[in-house]
């Protein structure tokens, strides 16, 4: 027996409340996601520590929830108040005043919503499974009790390689003299930093086939103590030494995968 306007206000109130609590939950999840990214995100993301939910975000979320509540609540409210309640209450009468065409549209929308929801659930499940699998992958180094920092020297003050090498050598010596430091090393790029250097290489004594190209491998510039600092074991051979300089015999350390691919059984 309520008037149409009162029914519309009631349905809109319910829709706006649902939208408000949905927006509140979204802000909470957004804050948790920001803290997660700050804790586990790459260090090379610019101004990562400045990311936060400011008043502008709250105002946008509030406006979005109001618009969503009114927009998606007004159409159902108007449709519900236009139904023929007399026919609905009659025994054997239609449950609603919707015709066959409208029922088909509703059914198609329902099937589409269920299909999209199913796809999203499957994609989310695959993403979570991939994430847990990645957590179990051995990256080849140990991050426990390891401190990493970046050091950039101005080219105007250190214009040549000898002056740069002298500074880095002094830094390593000072770091190794700190009580409690077990190992210190320099490397570029660092593991998981997002940067990558690569170069083609040739194996002496092995001729390439016709139209064949030299293989390409990623490489890292490393100093003595680097592998000890990151906990990467040397399976065979020796690590870099202080005697390995620009004037000595060039040496390199290759990965187990590269050795098995290009030096099988050697």
């Amino acid at each position: 027996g309520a008037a149409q306007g009162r029914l519309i206000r009631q349905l809109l109130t319910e829709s706006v409340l649902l939208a408000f609590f949905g927006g509140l939950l979204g802000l909470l999840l957004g804050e948790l996601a920001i803290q997660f990214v700050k804790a586990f995100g790459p260090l090379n993301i610019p101004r990562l520590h400045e990311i936060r939910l400011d008043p502008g975000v709250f105002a946008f979320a509030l406006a979005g929830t109001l618009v969503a509540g009114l927009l998606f609540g007004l159409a159902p409210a108007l449709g519900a108040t236009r139904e023929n309640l007399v026919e609905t209450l009659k025994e054997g009468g239609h449950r609603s005043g919707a015709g066959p065409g409208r029922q088909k549209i509703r059914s198609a929308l329902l099937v589409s919503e269920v299909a999209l929801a199913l796809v999203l659930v499957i994609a989310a499940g695959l993403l979570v499974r991939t994430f847990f699998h990645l957590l179990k992958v051995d990256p080849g180094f140990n991050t426990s009790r390891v401190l990493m920092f970046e050091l950039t020297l101005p080219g105007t003050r250190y214009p040549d390689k000898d002056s740069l090498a002298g500074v880095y050598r002094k830094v390593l010596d000072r770091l190794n003299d700190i009580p409690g430091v077990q190992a210190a090393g320099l490397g570029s790029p660092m593991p998981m930093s997002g940067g990558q250097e690569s170069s083609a290489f040739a194996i002496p004594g092995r001729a390439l086939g016709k139209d064949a190209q030299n293989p390409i491998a990623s490489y890292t510039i490393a100093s003595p103590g680097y592998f000890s600092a990151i906990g990467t074991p040397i399976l065979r051979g020796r690590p870099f030494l202080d005697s390995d300089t620009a004037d000595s015999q060039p040496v390199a350390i290759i990965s187990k995968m590269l050795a098995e691919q290009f030096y099988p059984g050697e």
Side-chain angles (χ1 to χ4, degrees):
Q4 184 181 18
R6 186 172 181 182
L7 290 175
I8 293 177
R9 286 197 301 270
Q10 178 181 342
L11 294 175
L12 282 179
T13 302
E14 295 176 359
S15 177
V16 171
L17 280 176
L18 286 175
F20 174 78
F21 287 113
L24 191 62
L25 179 61
L27 288 174
L28 179 60
L29 293 177
E31 178 63 25
L32 293 177
I34 289 176
Q35 298 304 323
F36 179 83
V37 172
K38 285 184 176 181
F40 301 101
L43 299 177
N44 56 357
I45 296 181
R47 303 171 66 181
L48 178 62
H49 64 283
E50 298 181 15
I51 299 177
R52 67 184 189 279
L53 296 179
D54 56 13
V57 176
F58 284 100
F60 180 83
L62 179 61
T65 54
L66 290 176
V67 171
L70 294 174
L71 183 63
F72 294 101
L74 186 59
L78 292 176
T81 56
R82 290 174 181 173
E83 290 186 358
N84 192 340
L85 299 181
V86 176
E87 291 296 328
T88 304
L89 294 174
K90 284 183 179 179
E91 184 178 359
H94 297 292
R95 296 185 59 188
S96 66
R102 184 175 294 183
Q103 284 296 121
K104 290 182 179 180
I105 294 176
R106 290 181 178 178
S107 299
L109 289 175
L110 180 60
V111 171
S112 302
E113 290 175 1
V114 173
L116 289 174
L118 183 62
V119 171
L120 289 175
V121 170
I122 293 175
L126 292 175
L127 183 62
V128 171
R129 188 181 68 172
T130 302
F131 176 73
F132 281 107
H133 285 174
L134 288 175
L135 292 178
K136 298 178 182 179
V137 173
D138 182 10
F141 56 90
N142 183 18
T143 59
S144 175
R145 298 185 299 170
V146 175
L147 173 65
M148 182 185 74
F149 63 91
E150 189 172 335
L151 178 62
T152 303
L153 301 179
T156 55
R157 187 172 180 181
Y158 305 96
D160 54 73
K161 294 186 295 184
D162 293 336
S163 58
L164 286 173
V167 173
Y168 287 133
R169 194 175 298 110
K170 291 180 181 179
V171 170
L172 275 182
D173 293 340
R174 294 286 298 273
L175 290 175
N176 284 305
D177 291 340
I178 298 176
V181 173
Q182 298 180 3
L186 299 172
S188 176
M190 298 300 294
M192 310 298 288
S193 63
Q196 180 175 318
E197 300 289 345
S198 60
S199 175
F201 65 94
I203 302 176
R206 297 191 188 179
L208 296 175
K210 185 178 180 180
D211 298 330
Q213 297 180 348
N214 287 331
I216 298 177
S218 301
Y219 68 89
T220 296
I221 302 172
S223 72
Y226 172 80
F227 293 103
S228 298
I230 66 174
T232 297
I234 302 296
L235 302 179
R236 295 184 63 182
R238 64 169 179 83
F240 293 132
L241 303 175
D242 291 332
S243 57
D244 296 322
T245 64
D247 300 325
S248 63
Q249 178 71 23
V251 293
I253 298 174
I254 63 176
S255 66
K256 179 181 178 182
M257 181 179 296
L258 191 145
E260 292 175 346
Q261 182 176 355
F262 294 98
Y263 300 91
E266 298 184 27

